[in-house]
Amino acid sequence: MPKPQTNSASGVAARRLAVQALTRIDNDGAYANLVLPQLLERSTLDQRDRGLVTELVYGTTRMQRACDFLVDRFVLDDVEPQVRAALRLGAYQLHFMQTPAHAAVAATVGAVKGRGRSVVNAVLRRVSVTDVQWPSDAVRLSYPDWIADTLRDTLGSEAAIAAMEAMNRPAEVHTRADGYIQDPASQLVVETVEARADDRLLDLCAAPGGKATALTSTGALVVASDLRANRARLIARNAASTRTAVAVVIADGRHPPFASKTFDRILVDAPCSGLGSLGRRADARWRIDADAPERLADLQVELVRSAYDLLVPGGTLVYSVCTLTEPETLGVLDRVADLGLVLLDPPAAPWVPVGASGTSATVVRLLPGDVGDGPHDGMALWRARKPA
Ligand SMILES: C[S@@+](CC[C@H](N)C(=O)[O-])C[C@H]1O[C@@H](n2cnc3c(N)ncnc32)[C@H](O)[C@@H]1O
């Protein structure tokens, strides 16, 4: 983490850029990972200040709900968007970056234009000297209630808190030998496919191609398919940069352009609510809606059904998601029970069975922070064979 700046001219300029980015994210619905690089590109800040702005914008966006709670104890009227952004930014530095109070307040006030300055100054001074009593873990850890509730109901209270804490730290990334940057948990999913040389292998939801490119190292013939053309282009680009041979197809996985019984192995790395990978994108938790798990489960069931048709008898299917919700994991498996899939033994540790016995023991998951040196995505998967 970059060292907090004092009230130097560059520290003020860094906060001014952060306020601009936060206002665009909150007011215009801009994506944090798109708007920030654009603003940084146009700025004259040095490398160190760019690092600071990045930490400020992603951190404040992630901790937005907690920051609002900290400042709203002292804000009496509605405030304009620029002032709201500065208040959150100041609270983030004071509470989560441990920036010395005088520096955090002065540099943040300096970044605000006009009459809003006095409000920011007065409120941040109060925040800096007042203890906090959090009303709930969801507010303290800055998640929408529905996500905190879903994780608690699915994982239990202690594990849900650990998962939410892990996803408040930037996710760890690993650079593969071929240069591709991939989450360690995604690499573990690739291993569970157990592909072999000359297998005809389909990755039905493949963009941006992280798993598909990794699967080529097994010698399998990999077809990587995705619904969206712009995302399929990313697969082609990543295959080229990793020098791997992947056949890229643009197709709706529910109506795939392949003959029945074509593939020995299929990976359905399905679109999902992403509740296991909230550490990866700072604004993701504020964009997903509470209906997403149920809505996406319908799509996931359709994708598994069409993958089943494409498998040769005796072929294997791996279903994986970077979420942990019941409807998108066990629920999908229950809803395709009529296919007569033969469930395979769950992969070994660090994967952990979701339940103690029966179907639930064949569904495994990794919680964010379970493996490796730092936070990584949470994932769930199950594996099955089409009867011969
Ligand atoms: C979890 S991501 C896949 C990540 C990829 N397997 C990797 O490791 O890089 C899910 C993908 O499913 C794609 N998708 C969504 N709906 C789809 C559909 N109906 N058919 C095929 N792909 C779909 C999305 O465009 C997205 O790229």
Side-chain angles (χ1 to χ4, degrees):
M1 184 187 292
K3 261 195 150 94
Q5 299 271 311
T6 56
N7 181 22
S8 64
S10 75
V12 172
R15 269 88 172 176
R16 191 170 297 135
L17 199 69
V19 168
Q20 237 179 309
L22 290 168
T23 308
R24 298 244 335 248
I25 293 164
D26 194 40
N27 226 34
D28 309 340
Y31 283 89
N33 63 334
L34 298 182
V35 77
L36 183 59
Q38 283 167 8
L39 288 172
L40 284 174
E41 202 179 298
R42 279 188 247 135
S43 87
T44 54
L45 292 177
D46 65 20
Q47 219 35 48
R48 181 187 153 97
D49 281 335
R50 284 165 190 264
L52 174 65
V53 175
T54 303
E55 157 63 7
L56 289 171
V57 171
Y58 287 157
T60 304
T61 301
R62 202 176 273 125
M63 301 312 292
Q64 178 176 306
R65 188 174 185 197
C67 291
D68 277 344
F69 177 79
L70 291 169
V71 301
D72 282 344
R73 295 172 298 167
F74 310 112
V75 173
L76 303 177
D77 297 315
D78 283 351
V79 292
E80 57 173 305
Q82 179 211 200
V83 171
R84 169 63 57 189
L87 289 171
R88 287 175 177 161
L89 180 69
Y92 178 72
Q93 294 165 79
L94 289 168
H95 202 84
F96 298 105
M97 283 179 84
Q98 278 79 45
T99 309
H102 63 277
V105 176
T108 307
V109 170
V112 178
K113 292 192 198 115
R115 289 186 354 194
R117 277 179 165 219
S118 57
V119 176
V120 173
N121 187 37
V123 171
L124 290 184
R125 280 184 193 288
R126 300 280 302 274
V127 171
S128 73
V129 294
T130 312
D131 287 341
V132 55
Q133 301 280 328
W134 296 107
S136 67
D137 288 326
V139 176
R140 175 174 68 86
L141 297 171
S142 193
Y143 286 82
D145 284 336
W146 78 268
I147 293 183
D149 292 347
T150 302
L151 290 175
R152 188 201 53 225
D153 294 348
T154 312
L155 307 177
S157 190
E158 206 175 308
I161 288 175
M164 289 192 287
E165 284 173 344
M167 291 189 289
N168 279 348
R169 299 194 292 275
E172 185 192 11
V173 290
H174 275 210
T175 305
R176 295 190 325 219
D178 61 10
Y180 190 87
I181 294 174
Q182 191 172 40
D183 185 90
S186 291
Q187 295 177 33
L188 289 169
V189 172
V190 168
E191 287 169 23
T192 69
V193 177
E194 296 181 347
R196 288 183 305 227
D198 298 332
D199 277 348
R200 285 161 299 170
L201 193 159
L202 171 65
D203 184 345
L204 191 63
C205 307
K211 298 186 186 71
T213 51
L215 283 163
T216 59
S217 68
T218 60
L221 307 170
V222 179
V223 176
S225 178
D226 202 276
L227 175 67
R228 301 205 198 103
N230 59 338
R231 290 186 56 80
R233 222 169 274 133
L234 290 178
I235 310 176
R237 205 173 298 155
N238 286 325
S241 72
T242 55
R243 296 172 187 274
T244 48
V246 172
V248 181
V249 175
I250 303 166
D252 187 334
R254 293 167 296 184
H255 311 286
F258 309 109
S260 294
K261 304 178 190 166
T262 297
F263 294 97
D264 303 302
R265 289 175 203 272
I266 300 182
L267 171 63
V268 180
D269 190 33
C272 69
S273 60
L275 296 202
S277 61
L278 299 173
R280 194 156 297 288
R281 287 226 336 259
D283 48 1
R285 68 190 68 184
W286 312 119
R287 292 185 181 279
I288 320 165
D289 63 281
D291 296 333
E294 295 288 351
R295 190 177 62 243
L296 286 159
D298 291 344
L299 170 59
Q300 292 153 356
V301 167
E302 283 191 75
L303 291 167
V304 170
R305 288 186 181 282
S306 78
Y308 176 88
D309 178 58
L310 298 176
L311 275 177
V312 297
T316 58
L317 184 154
V318 175
Y319 170 86
S320 62
V321 277
C322 60
T323 194
L324 304 160
T325 72
E326 198 273 343
E328 297 175 272
T329 55
L330 254 179
V332 170
L333 186 52
D334 285 345
R335 289 172 62 185
V336 299
D338 58 295
L339 295 177
L341 283 163
V342 180
L343 294 178
L344 297 179
D345 285 342
W351 294 101
V352 177
V354 167
S357 63
T359 307
S360 65
T362 65
V363 177
V364 290
R365 69 183 170 214
L366 283 175
L367 302 186
D370 261 5
V371 291
D373 308 324
H376 57 80
D377 288 350
M379 297 266 176
L381 67 80
W382 49 263
R383 305 188 292 183
R385 195 176 65 239
K386 184 172 182 172

